[in-house]
Each structure stands twice: as C-alpha cells, then as structure tokens.
Amino acid sequence: MRDYDEITAFLGEWGPFQRVIFFLLSLSIIPNGFTGLSIVFVGDTPAHTCLIPQSANISAEWRNVSIPVENINGETQYSKCRRYKLDVIKNFSDQKLIPGVDVHVTEIQQESCKDGWEYNRDTYTSTIVTEWDLVCENEWKGPLTSSILFFGVLTGTFVSGQLSDRFGRKLILFATMGVQTLSSLILVFSPSWVVFCLLFFIVGMGHISNYVAAFVLGTEILSKSIRIIYSTLGVCVFFAFGYMALPLLAFFIRGWRMLLLALTLPGLLYIPLWWFIPESPRWLLSQGRVEEAEAILRKAARMNRITAPDAIFHPIQANETTSEKARPHNVFDLLRTSNICCITVVLCLVWMILSMGYFALSLNTSNLHGNPYLNCFFSAAIEVPAYSAAWLLLRFCSRRLCLFFTLSLGGGVLLFIHLIPQNLISLAIALEMLGKFGMTSAFSIVYAFTAELYPTVVRNMAVGACSMFSRIGSIIAPYFTYMGSHDKFLPYILMGSLTVFSGVLALLLPESFGMPLPDTIVQMQKITWCKRTKTSYNLNDRVEVEPNNSAVFETETL
C-alpha cells in the first residue's frame, strides 16, 4: 500500500489545520513544565537549627552558643540536628557563668532538637519541609516525596500507553490532563505528609501521561516535515515555557499551598480544547474505523481550503492497514520478536539513564550557590536553545549520531566538575548548565527517535513503556541530589559516567532518518546486530526468514 503520508499529502504541509493542531497540542504541555518540578520549591529545605524556646529563659550569651558548630564538606556551619543540652546551659546561665571563659562550651553534652526547629524564612514562608519537619531523622522523607511523584508517573505511563493504543489518543490525553489538574487542586488541602504523598502519586499518574499522549497524537496527525519541529520546538519548548514560569511564580508566592493553587488553576482553561483537537486518523485507520478517519481528513481539507479526493482510502489500502487489528496489541508485543525486543531493551536503558541525569540536575538547582529562583530559571531557560539545537540536529543528521553526541556532551562535562577549584563556583554552575543543555537536547531527540522506530499499532504503548522505564531513573534521581549532601562530587561522577555509557548504547539502534513512519510491526526497521539467516528482496519489501522459519516483512525505501 501507499505510505500514509503519501495518501494525505493533498492536505499540504502547513495549512490552518496543521497550525491549529500544532499550537493547541503544544499549549496543552505548559502545565507539565511546572507541575512535576514544583517540588523544587514546594519541597525545598531552608537553613535550620534546633529551636531554643523563649521559655528556656537563658541569657543572650548562652543562647548564641547553644548550637554546636560542625564542618560539612569543608564548610563551617551550625549543626542542623543537634544542640547543647538545654538544662545544662540554663544552669550555667543562671549561675552567671560566661561561655568560653568560665566554661568550655564544646565539652557540654549534646542532645537532639527536642523542641523542634527554627527555619530561615528569608527565601520561603513555608514548604512541606517546614510544615511537617522533614529534617534530621525525617530527612529521608524529602527525596522520597519526589520519588513518590515519579512512582505515580511510572504507573501512569504504563497504564495510559496501553489505554491510548486501545481507546484513542484524544480520550487519554484529556483524561490524564483531568487527573493531573483535579488531584493537584486537592493536594493544596493536604492535612499531613502521608496524605500529601498519596495525592502526589495521583498527580504523577497524570503528569507525563498526557505529555506522551499529546506527543504521539501530534506526531501522527502532522506531516513528516512538521513532525520534527513539533517534537522539538513544539511540545518541548512549551514544556520549557511552563518550567520557566515556575520560578517566576514561586518568587512572588513564597508559601507552598498558595503556590500549588496558582500552578493548578490554569489547567481548567484546557477543557474547551476537547472540541478543537481531533482524534488521530492514523490510529482510527489502524482500528478499522476508516469512515471516521476520512471524516477528520475531509474536515482538515476544508480548513485548508483544499478539495479532498472522492475516496481517500481505497478498500484494499484500508484492509492492508488494518490487517493487524485481527488481534489486540499489548505490551508483550514490544518483546515479540528478537528485533523489536532488542530495540525495546536498548531504548529502555537509554531512557532510564537519561531521565536519571535530567531530573537530578533539575532538582539540584535549589542546592546550587546563589539565588534558587534565578538558578531554576537558568536551568529552565537553557532548555529553549537545547530544543532548538535538537531540532537542527534532527533535520539534518542521523538519529543515532544525534543521540550519541548530545548524551556524550551532557555526561562528559559533568565529569569535569570535581576538577573545578572551589573559588570558581560560577564555572562549576556553567558546566552543570551545559550538562543540562546536552541532556535536554537528548530527551527531545529520544522522544522523536522512539516514535519513528515503532509502528502506529503500538507507538503510544512503546513511548509509554520507554517513558515508564525513564521513571525508574527519575525515581532514583532525588537520591542523587540527597547523596550530594554527603559528597557533593559523587553525584556528578556517577551521572556523567552513566550518561556517556547510554550514548554508546544509542549507536546500537537502527536508523530512522528519512524513513516513513511504520504502521505495523512487520514494517519496523531491522536492528543491525539481530541475527538473520536468509534474505530475499523485491521492489518494495524485504522478507527476512529467521531460524524459526517465521517471515518478518519490513518496508524499505529504495
């Protein structure tokens, strides 16, 4: 049969219909930019020390020395979790003894923060850390909160990918947007950390799921020349716009509840988009719903002021396209043959490592020297040129080389951070931002690359499955940040090494540059190192017979 892009070429490349779809789907991505990364401010830990209550009634001299001094990572600072025993200090204060003169303060016995903590309120009026005291013996709850969000993302991407391939891209897109908005709204009223985590898990279920659905929907509707722009300068740049809005809002709204409320309400504005965004004609065709697919294309032709052919899909073409609908597809189809299994395993590893590095760098912005709002804005702003670079690379270069180059750049520069002298903090931050640049570009490329490798019948499921594995990386990412409190260079060394390794893995994948999107599993490109024993060719198809004598057909452009 003729390629789908060839059949629908009568619509043109960039008419009103394509522009509306491009803009509306990209617009739907903005909330994803600030929802998932809001934990950077909502869950940040401000400077804190043990609380010395006013009721202790000790002198100002003894109050000033009541907190021990510690050396952490070469820096001298007040202890965050210990104080000198309050009853001993009060006794010395009542006796009018002078600290450092009459008493060696460092010899006084220490105790935990029995009366709670005193937090620095210069940056935040409240965070979930200050509200529920997620410090010291409860410090582990901070990174776990971020990981719970990504556990929700993992669950959501696993479920939504299969639902999208079965029930449609549009339905799942709006369902997951609704889950994200409604659960975020309820999250504002969380009475405890446990309830917050439960609701945060549900927020995660809708967070990236609607991103994947919008990405696949636009990829399947838009033409080949616009597809790359959409996957880079479309959804990705609009994600960056939402990400850049996060520190701007957080700067003016310093309390976590009001900040979450301000970030949630814009989601309600997307309800009217249901009447303007159509279902994917490719998906409808793969489900045998040819008349609905033709109806959407005819409406698109009217918007573009073009006369559609009398019969867009001839019966023989429709039958060939829907030949795989005889049985429902599930996630096990991604492992059904040695070829698709190898592609899936390599992509899942690349996605997981890339996500680990990307989110670890994103969550670490509040720990960098300087203003946390400005650092977060720079981390978001660097994504715009990164996506632009990804678009240029995707237009002219091999997909494998694009992914290898950006991953190697993102990981390679991180390996040099531990060599930077401590007095050159700005240079270390610049290298970290360059690493973020490379990883962001790689993320944009890997989305487009994955969508090009997999066929229509399992495309959303495949992107969702890869995204699910990437969530394993994002679940681990907060602990990279947490590890930095003990050794600030170890996270960079680990992230850099793993990211460079994933770039080498990308070279093992088949090439999709310039190839038509496959519609069925048998049309997928062959991975070069998969074993094959016999090959025969005709004009348009390559038939490969594997050792079990099962034939695998692949479309090949000659």
Side-chain angles (χ1 to χ4, degrees), residues 25-26 28-30 32-33 160 172-173 176-177 180 206-218 230-232 234-240 351 387 443-444 447 460 463 467 471:
L25 286 177
S26 299
S28 72
I29 301 299
I30 291 180
N32 294 82
S160 66
I172 301 305
L173 168 63
T176 50
M177 286 175 64
Q180 177 177 269
H207 175 52
I208 293 297
S209 299
N210 69 285
Y211 181 98
V212 173
F215 172 81
V216 173
L217 180 57
Y230 171 75
S231 62
T232 52
V235 291
C236 293
V237 169
F238 276 72
F239 177 91
W351 277 69
Y387 293 134
F443 234 134
S444 178
Y447 261 101
N460 205 113
V463 176
S467 183
R471 296 317 130 201

Side-chain angles (χ1 to χ4, degrees), residues 181-391:
T181 301
L182 184 60
S183 55
S184 296
L185 187 60
I186 301 174
L187 188 68
V188 175
F189 306 98
S190 302
S192 67
W193 177 75
V194 173
V195 174
F196 181 92
C197 289
L198 290 174
L199 291 170
F200 213 33
F201 176 84
I202 300 175
V203 172
M205 290 183 66
H207 175 52
I208 293 297
S209 299
N210 69 285
Y211 181 98
V212 173
F215 172 81
V216 173
L217 180 57
T219 299
E220 293 182 347
I221 291 180
L222 298 171
S223 60
K224 185 186 301 184
S225 62
I226 305 301
R227 197 176 295 141
I228 295 175
I229 303 177
Y230 171 75
S231 62
T232 52
L233 300 185
V235 291
C236 293
V237 169
F238 276 72
F239 177 91
F241 289 160
Y243 189 4
M244 285 189 286
L246 172 62
L248 296 178
L249 283 172
F251 179 79
F252 294 103
I253 306 175
R254 302 297 180 98
W256 74 269
R257 293 184 188 271
M258 292 305 297
L259 174 60
L260 280 182
L261 183 62
L263 296 175
T264 300
L265 292 179
L268 301 176
L269 301 176
Y270 292 94
I271 296 176
L273 297 188
W274 173 269
W275 289 275
F276 296 95
I277 297 177
E279 183 54 88
S280 165
R282 277 183 184 267
W283 177 82
L284 290 171
L285 192 61
S286 73
Q287 300 298 300
R289 295 158 63 175
V290 181
E291 293 182 359
E292 295 177 58
E294 285 201 358
I296 292 174
L297 294 176
R298 293 187 188 281
K299 182 178 179 181
R302 289 194 297 271
M303 288 183 63
N304 289 350
R305 298 179 181 178
I306 294 171
T307 303
D310 293 335
I312 298 177
F313 299 107
H314 297 292
I316 185 173
Q317 295 169 336
N319 289 336
E320 289 178 0
T321 305
T322 60
S323 60
E324 287 206 12
K325 189 184 178 290
R327 65 175 183 85
H329 291 82
N330 55 54
V331 70
F332 295 105
D333 285 301
L334 302 180
L335 306 171
R336 186 157 63 93
T337 67
S338 59
N339 180 50
I340 193 172
C341 180
C342 291
I343 293 174
T344 300
V345 170
V346 171
L347 279 173
C348 285
L349 285 173
V350 171
W351 277 69
M352 183 175 68
I353 295 171
L354 177 56
S355 180
M356 189 189 307
Y358 174 85
F359 281 101
L361 291 179
S362 298
L363 295 173
N364 191 53
T365 52
S366 59
N367 297 325
L368 298 176
H369 290 276
N371 189 300
Y373 301 103
L374 198 57
N375 290 336
C376 184
F377 181 81
F378 287 149
S379 180
I382 198 69
E383 296 198 359
V384 176
Y387 293 134
S388 302
W391 169 63

Side-chain angles (χ1 to χ4, degrees), residues 50-108:
C50 291
L51 176 65
I52 308 297
Q54 293 296 329
S55 58
N57 195 25
I58 60 177
S59 66
E61 287 179 314
W62 279 103
R63 183 177 291 275
N64 290 337
V65 297
S66 59
I67 306 298
V69 175
E70 299 176 344
N71 189 290
I72 300 176
N73 287 330
E75 297 181 5
T76 301
Q77 54 186 258
Y78 287 110
S79 175
K80 299 178 180 178
C81 303
R82 307 290 294 176
R83 69 182 184 186
Y84 293 117
K85 292 197 70 171
L86 194 58
D87 56 345
V88 175
I89 290 178
K90 185 177 185 331
N91 183 43
F92 289 148
S93 178
D94 292 342
Q95 296 179 42
K96 308 298 184 183
L97 299 178
I98 301 174
V101 177
D102 301 317
V103 179
H104 293 291
V105 178
T106 56
E107 296 178 358
I108 300 175

Side-chain angles (χ1 to χ4, degrees), residues 376-555:
C376 184
F377 181 81
F378 287 149
S379 180
I382 198 69
E383 296 198 359
V384 176
Y387 293 134
S388 302
W391 169 63
L392 292 173
L393 288 171
L394 286 170
R395 282 193 65 190
F396 303 109
C397 300
S398 159
R399 302 295 187 254
R400 291 183 300 176
L401 294 180
C402 289
L403 196 53
F404 169 75
F405 171 73
T406 51
L407 286 169
S408 299
L409 172 65
V413 295
L414 297 182
L415 295 174
F416 292 97
I417 289 181
H418 72 284
L419 302 176
I420 304 300
Q422 291 189 2
N423 60 329
L424 296 178
I425 294 173
S426 58
L427 179 57
I429 293 177
L431 284 179
E432 182 163 341
M433 293 302 165
L434 184 58
K436 180 72 181 299
F437 174 92
M439 292 188 187
T440 301
S441 296
F443 234 134
S444 178
I445 291 169
V446 79
Y447 261 101
F449 195 10
T450 303
E452 290 177 351
L453 286 176
Y454 286 98
T456 303
V457 291
V458 294
R459 183 171 294 118
N460 205 113
M461 188 190 308
V463 176
C466 291
S467 183
M468 181 190 72
F469 269 85
S470 79
R471 296 317 130 201
I472 298 175
S474 58
I475 288 168
I476 300 171
Y479 292 95
F480 273 80
T481 306
Y482 178 67
M483 193 188 305
S485 61
H486 302 284
D487 187 328
K488 60 183 179 180
F489 295 123
L490 182 59
Y492 296 112
I493 295 173
L494 290 176
M495 282 189 291
S497 302
L498 289 171
T499 305
V500 171
F501 171 70
S502 68
V504 175
L505 284 179
L507 295 175
L508 303 177
L509 293 167
E511 186 53 65
S512 64
F513 181 53
M515 304 296 291
L517 282 181
D519 286 312
T520 61
I521 290 177
V522 295
Q523 294 175 349
M524 287 186 65
Q525 299 301 314
K526 188 73 174 179
I527 198 165
T528 55
W529 44 279
C530 271
K531 183 178 180 181
R532 59 178 182 263
T533 59
K534 181 180 178 182
T535 305
S536 60
Y537 295 85
N538 61 28
L539 181 61
N540 294 314
D541 301 295
R542 184 170 69 228
V543 181
E544 297 190 348
V545 182
E546 296 187 331
N548 61 0
N549 293 325
S550 61
V552 179
F553 295 81
E554 294 182 62
T555 298

